[in-house]
Amino acid sequence: MILTVTLNTALDLTYQVGALVPHTSHRVTDVAERPGGKGLNVARVLAALGHETVVTGFAGGTTGDVLRRLLAPLPVRDALVPVGGPTRRTVAVVDASTGDTTQLNEPGPVVTPAEWAAFLTAYDTLVHQARAVALCGSLPPGIRVGTYAELIRRARAAGVPVLLDTSGEALRRGIAARPDLVKPNADELAHLTGSREPLRAALDARRRGARAVAASLGPEGLLAVTPDGTWRAALPAPVRGNPTGAGDSAVAGLLSGLVEGLDWPERLRRAAALSAATVPAPAAGEFDDRTYRELLDRITVTELAPAA
């Protein structure tokens, strides 16, 4: 099975409006409510691809109860650890006239030392059953910034490959623990390295400790710098819609390719196709299967450099 970790799970609300205009009232044309957080989105895509997936992290309060109720019918196993504080909500407002999305994210519950100890016990058990682990998203209050580094070390000690998808100081600390793969977006990569040139920044990120770096570049596709070589996956054309969750679908593509033993160009092709196919989907954690199938044959993967 594949384990995804979402320490800061969320109840995701998506509002569709005709046009988002500041300082005015809006009539919402559609509302979607989903169990969310990056790792839960990744798990839903992995399950849709046919992979056995387990989700862990924290859930608490009324919103946590709603999240778990929505998660129950989905083909993923719930191993979330209860906390006393309420799970956060995120609100995405989609402007139908432009396709742009405005995101509002709450901070999440304060996690106590006892709750963290309970999570570590569950994590250690699950890691030893996993073929791969994804550590995803922000850290809730009460969790120290070096937490992902600790979880990476535990996974590596168990001989399980680990992917890290976070940002800011959590990414900086985590990458030093030598994860097998990090998946930043262009802004996160620039913030980590100080460089806006993707290839230079990805090379720098590898020097900081990551075995491989796969950077999502939005409509420009994906860039991977790995021990086996460097590749760029390019879309044939931009896809219109809501990009929320596109990076999470890319993570699912990379992880599924890893456990299936695909080479890097095919992992990138799948990740780029899934990411783009999420844009026209109703919400994060889903993808449009027809778009995905069409794009698989149309994405160009170019080798930029052979293995060093």
Side-chain angles (χ1 to χ4, degrees):
M1 66 84 168
I2 298 174
L3 176 65
T4 72
V5 178
T6 312
L7 297 178
N8 211 5
T9 57
L11 181 62
D12 285 349
L13 303 173
T14 303
Y15 294 152
Q16 294 269 354
V17 298
L20 183 61
V21 181
H23 314 301
T24 64
S25 297
H26 296 78
R27 186 175 297 278
V28 176
T29 58
D30 185 64
V31 179
E33 189 176 53
R34 300 284 193 281
K38 293 179 72 64
L40 268 66
N41 295 337
V42 172
R44 292 172 64 194
V45 175
L46 284 169
L49 294 172
H51 286 274
E52 179 187 359
T53 310
V54 176
V55 297
T56 191
F58 297 108
T62 302
T63 48
D65 291 342
V66 174
L67 182 150
R68 300 187 85 160
R69 187 171 70 245
L70 294 171
L71 192 61
L74 300 178
V76 299
R77 179 155 68 89
D78 176 356
L80 296 171
V81 175
V83 290
T87 294
R88 67 189 177 126
R89 295 164 295 182
T90 68
V91 179
V93 183
V94 181
D95 184 329
S97 67
T98 64
D100 293 337
T101 301
T102 299
Q103 192 85 14
L104 304 173
N105 297 330
E106 295 180 358
V110 175
V111 177
T112 68
E115 291 165 344
W116 176 245
F119 168 80
L120 283 180
T121 298
Y123 177 78
D124 286 342
T125 299
L126 291 166
V127 161
H128 283 84
Q129 302 168 9
R131 298 177 65 190
V133 178
L135 306 175
C136 304
S138 62
L139 299 174
I143 298 295
R144 59 187 180 81
V145 73
T147 286
Y148 280 136
E150 178 181 1
L151 298 183
I152 290 165
R153 287 191 290 268
R154 287 172 181 253
R156 287 178 59 83
V160 179
V162 56
L163 180 153
L164 177 64
D165 183 14
T166 188
S167 60
E169 191 61 23
L171 174 59
R172 191 180 306 277
R173 299 282 188 93
I175 205 170
R178 305 187 65 79
D180 295 272
L181 175 62
V182 294
K183 205 291 300 169
N185 61 32
D187 288 340
E188 291 162 351
L189 191 58
H191 187 265
L192 173 70
T193 65
S195 173
R196 280 278 170 189
E197 201 289 305
L199 180 55
R200 180 181 301 171
L203 289 166
D204 187 356
R206 272 205 76 203
R207 286 192 290 269
R208 291 167 184 261
R211 178 171 173 79
V213 178
S216 53
L217 307 177
E220 297 180 15
L222 286 166
L223 169 70
V225 178
T226 83
D228 301 321
T230 298
W231 292 271
R232 181 76 172 264
L235 302 174
V239 179
R240 183 178 172 83
N242 176 11
T244 304
D248 303 333
S249 292
V251 169
L254 294 166
L255 272 180
S256 62
L258 168 67
V259 300
E260 292 173 28
L262 300 183
D263 61 21
W264 269 105
E266 288 308 307
R267 291 188 214 178
L268 276 185
R269 193 184 312 277
R270 178 183 292 181
L274 284 169
S275 179
T278 298
V279 174
E286 301 177 8
F287 62 93
D288 183 83
D289 188 67
R290 181 176 178 179
T291 302
Y292 169 58
R293 300 295 172 187
E294 290 176 349
L295 284 173
L296 272 177
D297 296 328
R298 299 176 61 201
I299 287 172
T300 302
V301 180
T302 304
E303 186 173 22
L304 303 181

